[in-house]
Amino acid sequence: MALSEGDIVRFSRQILLTPVGGRGQEALGAASTLLGGAGSAQAVAGAYLAAGGSPVVLRARPVEPSEVGFLFTAEEVGEDAGTCLKAALMDVLPEGRGGAPPVGRLGELPAGFAGEGPWVALGWVPGSETGVVVYRTAEGCPGCFEETAGELANGPARAISVLLGAAGALAYQRLVLGLSEPLGAIQVSAREPLSPWPLRRCGGHR
Amino acid sequence: MIPPHRMAEPGWAIAATVDVTGQVCPMTYVRTKLKLETLSEGEVLEVLLKGEEPLRNLPRSAREEGHEVLLIETLGEQRSRLLLKKGRAPERRG
């Protein structure tokens, strides 16, 4: 989709980035994303994706208590999350965007993934404060993606959820812009810089 | 009739022109960058600009992105003209 004059002004700082440019911004605008699962990291990721120009869509489901504090208020618990998200993101991604079926999936585990991709999963190493972002393009093995994500768990909202969500959005954008390998994972923690997380291989790749 | 300033550079066929005299930084380079994306590698873009800040920033930004500055020409009344030759686009994964 060609950039409108409003898009050029709104995303000018992003267009200036060498890896993005006008073509990259158009690609981000076409990368409508279905947010799956529920959680504060997913909400943060959705906000960053929308602010970067990618429409985000939520399936009809209630706002969970774990999502309160960033995009959702305590009064919105139980309300339709899609409607609440749309209102919350109105300032960063104006009305009229989206409409096309989502092409990618970003989900806070547990979440289902379908379609070609890109896919990004956000999860937690069980019993720890370490979050993990698992990602794949259409060329990355879905089996290996699911094996790696399958070891991760959901977790309560915490301050590090913001970093996990931001890292997930960045991973998704890099996939859309063609800047990323087809399959990978990174770990996110308060005490360590972002670093690779070991992939688990599926039966076809062991 | 060919404008006089276009007759000064034989061999540099101008593929497109972008007028950013009415823009302020960084929109000057945003507009220039968007126009460069429409050109093929090696094609020449003419940029018309106004003021010292874009004259200082635009050539540097273009070089940083791999484009060649062929000409910087002052035209008077704080107006300037650049000729940029588009460099190679960065490679992306499949």
Side-chain angles (χ1 to χ4, degrees), chain A residues 116-197:
Chain A
E116 275 196 351
W119 296 352
V120 171
L122 309 178
W124 300 93
V125 177
S128 80
E129 294 281 312
T130 298
V132 178
V133 178
V134 188
Y135 55 87
R136 69 170 281 268
T137 67
E139 289 72 38
C141 174
C144 294
F145 175 95
E146 287 175 355
E147 283 290 319
T148 307
E151 293 196 342
L152 305 174
N154 186 254
R158 60 196 92 175
I160 195 80
S161 300
V162 177
L163 181 56
L164 180 62
L170 181 60
Y172 188 93
Q173 291 172 328
R174 288 176 57 82
L175 294 174
V176 171
L177 293 171
L179 299 173
S180 179
E181 61 275 18
L183 178 70
I186 52 174
Q187 62 178 341
V188 174
S189 82
R191 279 176 268 175
E192 304 281 339
L194 298 184
S195 57
W197 178 259

Side-chain angles (χ1 to χ4, degrees), chain A residues 37-104:
Chain A
S40 50
Q42 177 217 73
V44 170
Y48 274 109
L49 286 178
S54 298
V56 295
V57 178
L58 266 173
R59 283 205 178 92
R61 64 159 177 88
V63 173
E64 299 284 332
S66 64
E67 298 178 294
V68 170
F70 188 76
L71 292 179
F72 302 118
T73 65
E75 291 72 31
E76 290 174 324
V77 171
E79 300 289 328
D80 176 58
T83 304
C84 296
L85 181 68
K86 195 174 173 182
L89 295 181
M90 187 63 70
D91 286 338
V92 298
L93 197 61
E95 194 68 69
R97 294 190 171 269
V103 298

Side-chain angles (χ1 to χ4, degrees), chain A residues 16 18 47 110 190 197:
Chain A
L16 282 173
T18 299
W197 178 259

Side-chain angles (χ1 to χ4, degrees), chain A residues 5 18-19 22-23 178 180, chain B residues 31 33-34 37 65 92-93:
Chain A
E5 180 61 24
T18 299
R23 299 268 157 78
S180 179
Chain B
R31 305 283 182 191
K33 180 170 180 167
L34 291 173
E37 286 185 0
E65 295 209 321
R92 297 188 185 279
R93 297 173 194 265

Side-chain angles (χ1 to χ4, degrees), chain B residues 6-87:
Chain B
R6 290 188 183 230
M7 299 174 67
E9 305 94 19
W12 288 341
I14 293 171
T17 298
V18 61
D19 185 341
V20 296
T21 56
Q23 304 286 322
V24 296
C25 291
M27 293 305 294
T28 49
Y29 192 65
V30 172
R31 305 283 182 191
T32 301
K33 180 170 180 167
L34 291 173
K35 200 68 179 179
L36 278 166
E37 286 185 0
T38 67
L39 304 187
S40 301
E41 182 181 346
E43 288 191 313
V44 176
L45 174 69
E46 178 185 47
V47 185
L48 303 176
L49 45 131
K50 185 176 182 180
E52 286 186 19
E53 192 178 2
L55 183 61
R56 193 171 51 244
N57 293 337
L58 227 146
R60 182 186 63 218
S61 297
R63 288 189 184 105
E64 285 174 355
E65 295 209 321
H67 309 300
E68 185 180 350
V69 180
L70 297 175
L71 176 73
I72 301 175
E73 183 181 14
T74 52
L75 302 175
E77 295 183 328
Q78 293 200 320
R79 291 173 184 267
S80 305
R81 173 173 170 257
L82 304 183
L83 293 184
L84 302 178
K85 183 177 174 185
K86 181 166 178 176

